[in-house]
Structures are given as C-alpha cells and as structure tokens.
Amino acid sequence: METIGKLMQNRTKAPPVSNQSSSVNKANQKQWSREQADIYWRNQFVASMKTISPVFTVDDSNRQLLKALYQWVWGIPGVLDVSKGLLLHGSIGVGKSTLLKGLQNYAAKIARYCIGGADAGLTFQFTSAAEIALQFAEKGITGLNLYTDRSCMHNLAIDEVGREPMDAKHFGTGINAIQTVLQLRYEQRYNFYTHMTTNLDPDKEFSQRYGAYIADRVKEMFNVIKIEGESRR
C-alpha cells in the first residue's frame, strides 16, 4: 500500500493554474522551494475542508488534529501511523464527516496535480454504513463485493458506522453487514486503507455491536482519533 508521502519529491513543482494549460506551459512551470510547496499544500488542505463546509475554521480545538492529519496524508512521521486508516469518533456535529470528506477531496487534488490524475493508492471511495447495509439487502453477499473482493477492492471510507441496521436481510437471510465488511477488509489491511466515522466509542461499544473479533482488531486497522469539542453545526 503506497502512501502519499512517497510522492513528496514531486511537491516542488507548482501546480497548473487551470486544466486548460498547454503542455508547454506545464513543462515550463516554475520550481518551488520545499517551503513554498509546503505552504501551498497546507493552504490547499484547509481549502479542501472548506469545499465540504464553507464555514470550516482552524481554531484551538482542531489545530493539532489538522497538523497530525496533514502529516499522515504526506507520510511525514508524527503521532499517526501512516500504515493504518483513520477512525474518527465523537459526538454528533463535531466535524468527523467534514474531515474525512475533506481528506478525500485533498487526496484527489494531490493525485491530479502531482501525478497527472493517476490514483497510486491515494484516493478513496466514500460511502455510508447504511448504504452498505442496503446493498446487501438488495443484492445479497454480491452487493458487498465492491468493498470486500480483492479483485475490485479499493481504499474506502465508511461514514456513520453504528447508524446502519444491525441485521440487514436479503430474502430472509440476515447478516451484520459492517461486521462482515470490516472482517474481510482486515485481511487486506496492508493493501487497502479503511477509514470510518462513528458516534460510537470503539473501546466500549464496538464489541457489543460488531463482535469481539472486530473490536480486538480496531487498533490494528485504524488510527483511533477522538474528535473533541462542541457541535459545529
């Protein structure tokens, strides 16, 4: 599993001003110092969050977290393990989904400007836990293949884990869809990232909802991050 940090050597080239730039202009882009590039990409990190929530602000309650997430994205050694996905948990309205959707936007921007749109393991799909349960209810186990089959698997962010039906049924056959997805993605954790947001406390509530197997392996799959503060809604 490649990390975005492996592309850091490409950061010194200034991104194109527009998609319509000619190949000559792209070839003649000025070279930036690492400091200039770092300032640009830090500003783009916040801009990506504002794309999701225009009222997003950097303040004392999230400054250190944003720094840690920025370092994780670029593979810079810090408080987060770059080999693991992100599990953001906390109360309703503290900005978990905004952060994860902002990261999705940011990763796509890096892939576009640094490596010409190639994925290289940077981007991820975003879906909700309820949608995964619905896919099983409509299509059965084949509805989960997009998230669990090694031949078509990809990096995945699952929003609002814990709010989905616990016993999704397909023609009377019921399973815990998120438990199944997490169990199968655990086996591929070194090849594909899994990210999640949840209002549940992983230490106290995951074992009851998803079983001891998943609860025991959460810290192997994820950087578990509690989002503090009051609701931003």
Side-chain angles (χ1 to χ4, degrees):
M1 178 168 56
E2 289 192 75
T3 65
I4 296 177
K6 291 185 179 180
L7 303 175
M8 287 187 66
Q9 64 270 24
N10 296 324
R11 288 201 296 170
T12 54
K13 181 174 288 189
V17 174
S18 95
N19 287 338
Q20 305 304 317
S21 300
S22 69
S23 58
V24 173
N25 288 336
K26 290 181 180 180
N28 291 329
Q29 290 172 38
K30 69 176 182 179
Q31 296 296 311
W32 283 357
S33 68
R34 290 185 65 85
E35 290 75 18
Q36 289 174 311
D38 190 61
I39 291 171
Y40 173 83
W41 284 111
R42 285 182 184 275
N43 288 338
Q44 287 301 310
F45 185 69
V46 176
S48 292
M49 300 298 167
K50 287 182 175 294
T51 297
I52 307 303
S53 175
V55 297
F56 181 87
T57 57
V58 179
D59 53 37
D60 290 341
S61 69
N62 64 13
R63 187 171 285 107
Q64 290 303 312
L65 172 60
L66 292 173
K67 177 182 178 181
L69 292 174
Y70 178 83
Q71 291 175 325
W72 178 87
V73 168
W74 285 102
I76 301 170
V79 297
L80 301 180
D81 187 336
V82 298
S83 70
K84 298 178 181 179
L86 306 170
L87 194 168
L88 309 181
H89 71 101
S91 302
I92 295 172
V94 294
K96 303 180 296 295
S97 298
T98 294
L99 288 171
L100 207 50
K101 289 177 181 178
L103 283 172
Q104 182 188 35
N105 181 289
Y106 190 58
K109 191 175 297 184
I110 293 170
R112 178 182 176 188
Y113 287 145
C114 287
I115 50 177
D119 178 35
L122 306 182
T123 60
F124 54 89
Q125 180 188 0
F126 196 99
T127 190
S128 68
E131 175 63 23
I132 291 176
L134 179 62
Q135 287 293 317
F136 174 79
E138 290 183 348
K139 303 176 183 177
I141 199 65
T142 59
L144 303 184
N145 285 348
L146 182 64
Y147 316 112
T148 61
D149 190 321
R150 177 66 177 82
S151 63
C152 60
M153 195 182 292
H154 38 61
N155 297 330
L156 177 68
I158 310 174
D159 196 28
E160 297 187 332
V161 168
R163 298 188 65 183
E164 78 285 353
M166 286 189 65
D167 189 21
K169 287 184 170 61
H170 177 70
F171 289 108
T173 301
I175 66 169
N176 187 320
I178 296 301
Q179 179 187 50
T180 301
V181 167
L182 291 179
Q183 182 168 336
L184 294 173
R185 290 188 67 87
Y186 171 81
E187 305 301 329
Q188 296 293 334
R189 65 192 180 282
Y190 298 123
N191 299 310
F192 300 98
Y193 284 122
T194 304
H195 310 303
M196 296 196 306
T197 72
T198 183
N199 297 332
L200 301 177
D201 183 332
D203 291 331
K204 299 177 181 179
E205 299 176 273
F206 266 32
S207 59
Q208 180 178 359
R209 189 169 183 97
Y210 301 115
Y213 180 91
I214 296 301
D216 186 55
R217 286 157 176 77
V218 161
K219 291 183 179 179
E220 292 184 58
M221 293 180 69
F222 301 102
N223 292 285
V224 180
I225 305 166
K226 184 174 183 179
I227 309 298
E228 305 279 5
E230 298 179 356
S231 173
R232 292 175 178 266
R233 294 177 180 171

